[in-house]
Amino acid sequence: MTELLNHSFTHLKLNSIKLKCSRGVETRKLFSRRVHCVLTDDKKVSVVKNGKDSLEICRVVNGMWQTSGGWGKIDRDNAVDAMLRYADAGLNTFDMADIYGPAEDLYGLFINRVRRERPPEFLENVKGLTKWVPPPVKMTSTYVRQNIDISRKRMDVASLDMLQFHWWDYSNNGYLDALKHLTDLKEEGKIKTVALTNFDTQRLQIILENGIPIVSNQVQHSLVDMRPQQRMAELCQLTGVKLITYGTVMGGLLSEKFLDTNLSIPFAGPPLNTPSLQKYKRMVDAWGGWSLFQALLKTLNQVAIKHGVSIPTVAVKFVLDQPSVAGSMVGVRLGLSEHIKDCTAIFSLKLDEEDVSSIQEVISKGKDLQKVIGDCGDEYRRA
């Protein structure tokens, strides 16, 4: 899908982009409220690239935020065993961050197990995507290099497959300095691809105009939060930058567990006992409330039953079928619970026009979160 979408835009240059983002009036209408779902084949991998930089990733990404605490105690050996089971099932791309507790260390242990216990061609397909989330201090070459070396050591790799950069404060343009230093490290071979996480459309455009070879932007994207399909997807289609999405199953809210529940009555429904459930319940409240969310779950359940899959499988597939989405994340509670069957079912699921139309009908009744919250990542930067 992503290759087809980009084919028509490869001839466009950045200076032809008409977007003004929040700096002024847009010169054309970008997207209507009605979303567009592109039906795809069951391809399991996608390539994110910019110029000579490219990386092949599994389209369903194992998210490791859950290792950072708040989801249950993680046993190191059990966690690494679980990572091997995911990789053996073809789910071989893992997403982590320097701030996700022991995530990078677990990946280091895991990749060493792979080196010892799996053939070389298996190792080549395993990918570790990490993030760097620095404080807004002066971004010197030495400071950036030292921090990237820490992640390389923790993950036990000579070169990071992907470094996704986050920045808290746009009023401090030190993010451009950091990204230029990261690009230098890429040229040295310490990073294979440079990417972003939670950047908005305006800043992504500025970064690209500064010659930084960004391959992807990781953003929150679900059936409830369709913000990335407005300004962000427009810019991505023009430039070839891809989206990697998180929050796609909303911490588990988009599942059978929460179907036909009433959270307005104390202790009547499943507890919101993880950071992700609490976070995405607030997103539901901003979007349209629990009653509308129940209508969405009922529609998804009908589609899931029709295809013999689960609600989360339908929810992820819908987002994967959106323009410019290269991969969608499903959180892994390593050693505590597994969703390998649901995740692998995503690859063979094909949503037909009836499925898409019924889902669109419900989500169109929700509020436009672009107007409520702002562009991608703005939820992290509001006063």
Side-chain angles (χ1 to χ4, degrees):
M1 175 193 70
T2 50
E3 286 78 16
L4 285 174
L5 285 170
N6 286 321
H7 180 73
S8 300
F9 299 103
T10 52
H11 66 286
L12 292 170
K13 303 297 183 182
L14 261 177
N15 59 15
S16 70
I17 295 173
K18 302 296 185 182
L19 295 177
K20 299 298 183 182
C21 305
S22 57
R23 289 178 285 177
V25 179
E26 297 174 5
T27 60
R28 62 178 180 273
K29 184 177 181 181
L30 295 179
F31 279 91
S32 65
R33 288 291 309 283
R34 190 166 181 82
V35 298
H36 303 277
C37 192
V38 180
L39 302 181
T40 68
D41 61 18
D42 60 352
K43 192 169 62 174
K44 295 182 179 181
V45 300
S46 182
V47 176
V48 294
K49 60 184 177 180
N50 188 321
K52 68 180 187 301
D53 304 333
S54 68
L55 187 73
E56 184 179 276
I57 63 172
C58 180
R59 298 204 70 209
V60 178
V61 180
N62 305 312
M64 296 178 66
W65 181 31
Q66 283 81 351
T67 66
S68 61
W71 287 265
K73 183 176 175 59
I74 298 291
D75 177 84
R76 183 187 69 177
D77 294 336
N78 288 341
V80 174
D81 287 343
M83 293 175 76
L84 280 169
R85 287 193 294 273
Y86 274 91
D88 285 338
L91 301 165
N92 50 24
T93 300
F94 296 83
D95 179 87
M96 65 213 83
D98 61 331
I99 60 171
Y100 289 179
E104 290 185 332
D105 302 302
L106 289 172
Y107 184 85
L109 295 170
F110 157 73
I111 203 68
N112 270 296
R113 285 276 303 274
V114 171
R115 289 167 183 150
R116 295 194 307 268
E117 301 173 13
R118 301 294 186 274
E121 58 270 21
F122 187 98
L123 174 63
E124 290 176 7
N125 290 326
V126 174
K127 301 296 190 301
L129 322 179
T130 196
K131 306 181 196 75
W132 182 38
V133 187
V137 298
K138 186 173 179 59
M139 292 289 115
T140 65
S141 175
T142 299
Y143 182 78
V144 174
R145 181 182 298 271
Q146 288 174 343
N147 279 274
I148 297 311
D149 283 345
I150 291 172
S151 288
R152 291 171 57 238
K153 182 177 181 180
R154 293 179 68 191
M155 295 174 67
D156 200 10
V157 293
S159 181
L160 301 176
D161 290 323
M162 178 185 288
L163 191 285
Q164 301 165 104
F165 177 71
H166 176 86
W167 191 250
W168 293 107
D169 182 10
Y170 290 146
S171 66
N172 178 348
N173 64 4
Y175 66 88
L176 289 173
D177 295 327
L179 285 164
K180 288 173 182 176
H181 295 317
L182 290 172
T183 303
D184 290 340
L185 292 175
K186 178 186 69 66
E187 294 301 320
E188 293 179 22
K190 293 189 173 185
I191 300 169
K192 294 177 184 175
T193 54
V194 177
L196 303 174
T197 181
N198 291 316
F199 271 77
D200 66 8
T201 310
Q202 179 183 348
R203 254 55 61 159
L204 173 58
Q205 181 175 345
I206 291 171
I207 290 165
L208 293 170
E209 288 172 345
N210 275 267
I212 308 298
I214 299 300
V215 298
S216 64
N217 186 19
Q218 186 179 133
V219 294
Q220 183 173 293
H221 193 352
S222 68
L223 289 163
V224 166
D225 187 359
M226 295 296 293
R227 289 177 296 161
Q229 291 307 315
Q230 297 189 44
R231 294 191 183 104
M232 183 61 68
E234 177 81 356
L235 180 59
C236 286
Q237 288 184 75
L238 288 168
T239 61
V241 173
K242 297 294 189 292
L243 299 175
I244 297 175
T245 75
Y246 67 89
T248 309
V249 296
M250 304 188 72
L253 286 177
L254 284 168
S255 69
E256 285 81 359
K257 182 178 181 179
F258 287 90
L259 178 64
D260 295 326
T261 61
N262 186 353
L263 296 188
S264 64
I265 302 174
F267 309 109
L272 302 177
N273 56 1
T274 69
S276 51
L277 284 172
Q278 295 160 14
K279 171 183 179 179
Y280 294 116
K281 173 57 166 60
R282 292 192 293 270
M283 201 62 59
V284 169
D285 294 340
W287 172 68
W290 196 249
S291 293
L292 181 57
F293 188 69
Q294 282 298 307
L296 175 59
L297 285 178
K298 289 175 183 177
T299 299
L300 294 174
N301 191 49
Q302 291 170 355
V303 175
I305 291 172
K306 170 182 170 181
H307 292 281
V309 297
S310 69
I311 288 176
T313 296
V314 175
V316 175
K317 180 59 173 177
F318 188 96
V319 171
L320 277 175
D321 284 347
Q322 299 303 309
S324 294
V325 175
S328 289
M329 207 167 306
V330 178
V332 288
R333 298 175 66 178
L334 299 171
L336 299 175
S337 62
E338 290 186 3
H339 306 287
I340 292 175
K341 182 179 178 181
D342 286 343
C343 289
T344 54
I346 295 167
F347 300 125
S348 56
L349 175 61
K350 295 179 184 291
L351 299 177
D352 60 34
E353 294 293 349
E354 181 184 19
D355 302 328
V356 172
S357 179
S358 65
I359 295 170
Q360 285 180 329
E361 183 179 353
V362 181
I363 63 177
S364 66
K365 296 176 182 177
K367 295 178 183 176
D368 181 354
L369 292 183
Q370 185 96 5
K371 296 177 180 177
V372 177
I373 299 172
D375 201 2
C376 299
D378 281 359
E379 61 269 31
Y380 297 102
R381 300 177 179 87
R382 292 188 296 177

